[in-house]
């Protein structure tokens, strides 16, 4: 398991920041630290532009107030003159002086025409022109309409009479022109969704802005709309803004580059060198290269001293391991010799035994000593690799030893093996060898020439195997029960406990079965 798996896993932005490389973290920190300076410079630039825009809006408001006042006064005066002339003609359709006064009033305004007509469309004063929506108006009602080519103002009278005035865009534009020096501007008369352009403003570019104000004219919803170019976003302003952003990013990039050169790259080289370190070596600082940071050089020297200490300890451990191996070999050699001496002594006393029972007892003891010797020899052979003991070879040699030392009455003893290649540790091998020897001894005690079948197969559990010893001599009988009760039962139960398992007996088949621990396969 990786040590990082033991650490609590954070979630959210903090976890994301923790997984980022140090260079990225430094860059983000520098960007955040320098951001207020960039914002201050950008704020100063935008404030300058905003002040210029405010001045333009103020100038436009003054011009719009002046222009709307002039247009509103003219329209109100004309409506008053039309109403008076209409009233006079209502009283006397032949009132020529009233018509003359109206003609003089409108003649002073170039591009303006008027007409007064009765309900039948007969012109009483002025000149004919087409008026859209010529419905009869209520007395003294004033109506304004924006046509495609001008503005029409109508005044209703009694008995179906009406008066109307028509204003061309040029005439209205002259009225709406502010006095004095005026910068480029645009003007229009607006009523609801209708619009009459008086003066067009030059087409604005993608970076140009416009300032627009509206002033009511006080006549049937008419509004004067004026526009002026706002403070433009000029090339110097754009260049200054771009330079501010570039300086901000460049400052963060330079800071990250310096940190990367002085700290991050040397630390990466040092980490690679330490990561490639193998016990027994000494870290060579020359392979890391030049390190500009004094602190990192001192850290590298510390790692070098640690590697020297580890090398010295590794050397001591290697010498101790050699001594320990020699000592272990000597102990195993002496144990093997002692077991051979014990086996020889038992064999010597067995030849001098007085009676078959004593000889058989010596042979039984010798078989158990041989079982221990077999396990010890295989353990000694596996000492260098330390993988474990292979059961197939151990039990194969044990079966040969049992047949070789069997008594004369068991000359027909047969042992068949069916063992998978499995590895066990020494404790399990000794207990299994003694248990098999005891079970085979039990079978021979009943029938000397019996057949014994020994099998070891893998179980459903990956680290367990099933040991099974079966023989017709192990089928349930009174004699078998007596032997188990008096001689073999206690030893076999003790060996099963040593194996940490239960020994199961199938009395109908004549088989003993137990689960044993294995360490793997060869």
């Amino acid at each position: 398991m990786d040590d990082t798996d033991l650490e609590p896993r954070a979630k959210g932005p903090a976890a994301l920041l923790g997984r980022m490389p140090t260079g990225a973290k430094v860059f983000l920190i520098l960007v955040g630290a320098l951001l207020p300076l960039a914002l201050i410079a950008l704020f100063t630039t935008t404030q300058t532009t905003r002040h210029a825009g405010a001045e333009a809006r103020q100038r436009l408001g003054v011009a719009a107030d002046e222009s709307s006042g002039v247009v509103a006064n003219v329209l109100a005066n004309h409506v008053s003159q039309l109403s008076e002339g209409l009233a006079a003609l209502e009283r006397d359709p032949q009132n020529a002086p009233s018509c003359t006064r109206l003609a003089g009033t409108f003649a002073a305004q170039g591009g303006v025409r008027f007409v007064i007509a009765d309900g039948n469309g007969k012109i009483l004063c002025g000149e004919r022109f087409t008026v859209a929506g010529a419905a009869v108006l209520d007395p003294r009602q004033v109506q304004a309409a924006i046509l495609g080519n001008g503005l029409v103002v109508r005044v209703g009278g009694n008995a179906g009479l009406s008066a109307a005035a028509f204003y061309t865009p040029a005439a209205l534009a002259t009225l709406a022109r502010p006095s004095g020096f005026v910068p480029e501007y645009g003007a229009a008369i607006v009523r609801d969704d209708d619009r009459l352009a008086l003066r067009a403003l030059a087409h604005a570019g993608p970076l140009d802005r416009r300032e627009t104000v509206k002033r009511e004219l006080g006549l049937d919803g008419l509004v004067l709309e004026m526009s002026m170019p706002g403070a433009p976003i000029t090339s110097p302003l754009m260049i200054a803004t771009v330079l501010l952003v570039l300086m901000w990013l460049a400052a963060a990039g330079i800071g990250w580059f310096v940190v990367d050169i002085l700290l991050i790259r040397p630390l990466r080289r040092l980490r690679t060198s330490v990561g490639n370190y193998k016990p027994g070596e000494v870290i060579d600082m020359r392979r890391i290269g030049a390190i500009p940071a004094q602190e990192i050089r001192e850290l590298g020297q510390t790692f070098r001293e640690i590697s020297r200490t580890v090398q010295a300890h590794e050397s001591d451990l290697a010498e101790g391991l050699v001594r320990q191996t020699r000592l272990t070999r000597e102990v195993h050699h002496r144990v093997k010799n002692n077991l051979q001496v014990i086996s020889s002594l038992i064999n010597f006393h067995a030849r001098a035994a007085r009676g078959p029972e004593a000889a058989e007892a010596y042979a039984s003891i010798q078989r158990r000593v041989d079982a221990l010797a077999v396990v010890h020899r295989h353990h000694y052979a596996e000492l260098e690799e330390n993988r474990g003991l292979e059961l197939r070879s151990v039990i194969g040699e044990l079966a040969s030893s049992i047949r070789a030392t069997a008594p004369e009455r068991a000359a027909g003893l047969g042992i068949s093996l069916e063992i998978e290649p499995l590895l066990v540790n020494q404790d399990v091998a000794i207990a299994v060898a003694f248990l098999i020897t005891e079970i085979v001894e039990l079978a021979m005690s009943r029938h000397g020439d019996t057949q014994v079948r020994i099998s070891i197969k893998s179980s459903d559990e990956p680290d367990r195997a099933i040991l099974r010893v079966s023989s017709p001599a192990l089928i349930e009988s009174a004699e078998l029960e007596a032997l188990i009760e008096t001689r073999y039962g206690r030893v076999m139960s003790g060996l099963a406990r040593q194996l940490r398992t239960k020994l199961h007996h199938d009395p109908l088949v004549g088989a003993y079965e137990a689960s044993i621990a294995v360490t793997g396969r060869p």
Side-chain angles (χ1 to χ4, degrees), residues 144-370:
I146 295 177
L147 306 178
N149 59 345
L151 171 67
V152 175
V153 177
R154 297 180 62 212
V155 180
N158 295 320
L161 271 67
S162 64
F166 176 78
Y167 300 86
T168 63
L172 293 173
T174 302
L175 292 174
R177 178 177 179 81
S179 61
F181 174 76
V182 180
E184 186 66 23
Y185 71 96
I189 299 293
V190 180
R191 183 179 184 274
D192 296 332
D193 295 333
D194 297 328
R195 181 182 184 86
L196 177 64
L198 307 182
R199 179 185 176 92
L201 186 61
H203 178 70
L207 298 179
D208 292 335
R209 298 183 300 164
R210 287 186 177 182
E211 301 291 345
T212 302
V213 295
K214 295 181 179 180
R215 296 290 187 268
E216 294 184 359
L217 299 178
L219 181 63
D220 196 20
L222 292 179
V223 175
L224 176 64
E225 179 182 282
M226 294 190 69
S227 301
M228 284 187 180
I233 301 178
T234 60
S235 298
L237 179 61
M238 291 182 58
I239 293 174
T241 304
V242 172
L243 286 178
L244 287 175
V245 175
L246 292 179
M247 290 174 61
W248 169 45
L249 295 177
I254 292 172
W256 168 81
F257 180 75
V258 171
V259 172
D260 186 69
I261 291 295
L262 294 180
L263 297 177
I264 297 177
R265 291 186 186 179
L267 283 175
R268 287 176 179 170
R269 295 199 301 268
L270 182 60
R271 182 189 63 183
T272 301
S273 180
V274 174
N276 296 332
Y277 168 76
K278 296 179 181 179
E281 296 180 350
V282 176
I283 296 178
D284 189 2
M285 295 298 295
R286 291 175 297 180
R287 292 184 299 179
I288 301 176
I291 299 178
Q294 176 65 27
E295 293 79 2
I296 300 180
R297 287 199 300 271
E298 293 175 355
L299 180 61
Q301 292 297 334
T302 302
F303 279 124
R304 178 179 175 83
E305 294 301 324
I306 292 174
S307 64
R308 285 179 177 175
T309 303
V310 172
Q311 183 186 46
H313 289 174
E314 287 287 332
S315 178
D316 294 341
L317 289 174
E319 293 179 1
L321 180 61
V322 170
R323 292 193 299 269
Q324 183 67 29
T325 303
R326 291 176 182 174
L327 180 60
T328 303
R329 287 178 178 174
E330 180 66 22
V331 170
H332 277 280
H333 182 68
R334 293 189 180 186
V335 171
K336 183 181 70 172
N337 291 341
N338 291 337
L339 290 174
Q340 289 176 352
V341 170
I342 293 172
S343 179
S344 299
L345 290 174
I346 293 173
N347 190 26
F348 175 76
H349 285 286
R351 287 196 298 268
R354 298 178 182 179
E357 292 183 0
E360 186 173 344
Y362 278 119
S364 178
I365 295 173
Q366 185 174 5
R367 281 191 290 274
R368 288 163 174 80
V369 174
D370 289 342

Side-chain angles (χ1 to χ4, degrees), residues 48-97:
T48 303
T49 305
R50 186 178 294 112
H51 290 159
E55 292 178 1
R57 285 192 298 273
Q58 186 176 6
R59 290 195 302 270
L60 179 60
V62 172
D65 290 339
E66 179 186 355
S67 298
S68 62
V70 172
V71 174
N73 289 334
V74 171
L75 292 178
N77 183 47
H78 286 182
V79 168
S80 177
Q81 294 289 336
L82 285 174
S83 299
E84 292 177 0
L86 181 61
L89 291 175
E90 284 176 344
R91 292 190 298 269
D92 181 9
Q94 303 301 322
N95 192 340

Side-chain angles (χ1 to χ4, degrees), residues 377-436:
R377 283 197 299 274
H378 283 270
H379 177 65
Y380 181 73
E382 294 291 337
L383 181 63
E384 296 295 336
E385 297 182 4
N386 197 22
R387 298 179 306 162
L389 282 74
E390 187 177 359
L391 281 177
R392 177 184 288 177
S393 58
V394 172
I395 297 177
E397 186 175 346
L398 177 63
S400 299
S401 176
I402 291 175
R403 283 195 297 264
T405 58
E408 294 181 0
R409 63 180 181 81
L413 174 66
I415 300 177
S416 61
L417 304 177
E418 186 179 355
I419 301 172
E420 294 183 4
L422 297 169
L423 299 176
V424 297
N425 58 37
Q426 184 182 14
D427 294 337
V428 173
I430 292 174
V432 168
F434 280 149
L435 182 58
I436 291 175

